[in-house]
Amino acid sequence: MVSGIAAVVFAVALFVIIPFQIVDISNKLIKADFLPKLMAGIILICGICLIAKCLRHPESEKVIEIDLRKEARVIMYFAALVLFVVLFTRIGFLLDSLWLAVFTLIFVKDKNPIHYAITIAYVVILFIVFKYALSVPLPTIVL
């Protein structure tokens, strides 16, 4: 029930926020806000389905206690994602994405150096393709 209510509240908040974040004055059939509104609609439908399921079958509802000591790794990775978002405009796409990619490999305890090389190459290639080939403006410091 709590998950369903949280999903509905989140979806409604998205529907309120999207028009302020994506302003599209074009007269195209599919506008820039189509995909975010579609995702918000899917979240809303799933939340309503969760609430309906809980109301139809209240005995299936389970109460789960969360032990923060056991969830410390999840909290640490979530903090890394928040740091990624905060640093994105400050240090740029390339450096921010590189540290997150390497952090993720360290986090999952990957010791294969080829994985690190492939991941770093992938981030650099993505940066070059989007920044120079597709002319997508990405936050950068020097490049």
Side-chain angles (χ1 to χ4, degrees):
M1 179 68 99
V2 173
S3 299
I5 293 171
V8 168
V9 169
F10 182 67
V12 169
L14 284 176
F15 277 118
V16 171
I17 293 171
I18 288 170
F20 294 108
Q21 297 295 317
I22 304 173
V23 178
D24 189 358
I25 56 172
S26 68
N27 58 357
K28 295 179 182 176
L29 181 62
I30 297 179
K31 298 184 181 191
D33 63 350
F34 173 74
L35 190 59
K37 284 184 178 178
L38 177 67
M39 292 294 113
I42 291 171
I43 292 170
L44 180 67
I45 291 168
C46 290
I48 291 170
C49 289
L50 281 171
I51 293 170
K53 179 184 173 202
C54 181
L55 292 175
R56 277 192 316 228
H57 305 288
E59 68 280 354
S60 67
E61 190 74 8
K62 296 178 184 174
V63 176
I64 299 172
E65 291 185 27
I66 298 174
D67 183 8
L68 291 180
R69 287 183 300 239
K70 291 181 182 178
E71 304 299 331
R73 286 182 50 83
V74 174
I75 294 168
M76 184 173 67
Y77 195 76
F78 182 75
L81 292 175
V82 170
L83 184 62
F84 172 79
V85 171
V86 169
L87 292 177
F88 192 74
T89 56
R90 290 178 175 79
I91 67 172
F93 171 84
L94 184 60
L95 294 176
D96 201 27
S97 298
L98 282 173
W99 86 257
L100 182 65
V102 170
F103 175 80
T104 301
L105 289 174
I106 292 169
F107 186 79
V108 297
K109 300 175 182 164
D110 190 341
K111 295 179 180 164
N112 191 340
I114 293 174
H115 294 166
Y116 287 85
I118 291 171
T119 301
I120 291 169
Y122 183 71
V123 170
V124 171
I125 290 169
L126 271 177
F127 174 76
I128 291 169
V129 167
F130 276 88
K131 179 81 173 171
Y132 299 110
L134 299 175
S135 299
V136 173
L138 294 172
T140 57
I141 295 213
V142 237
L143 303 171

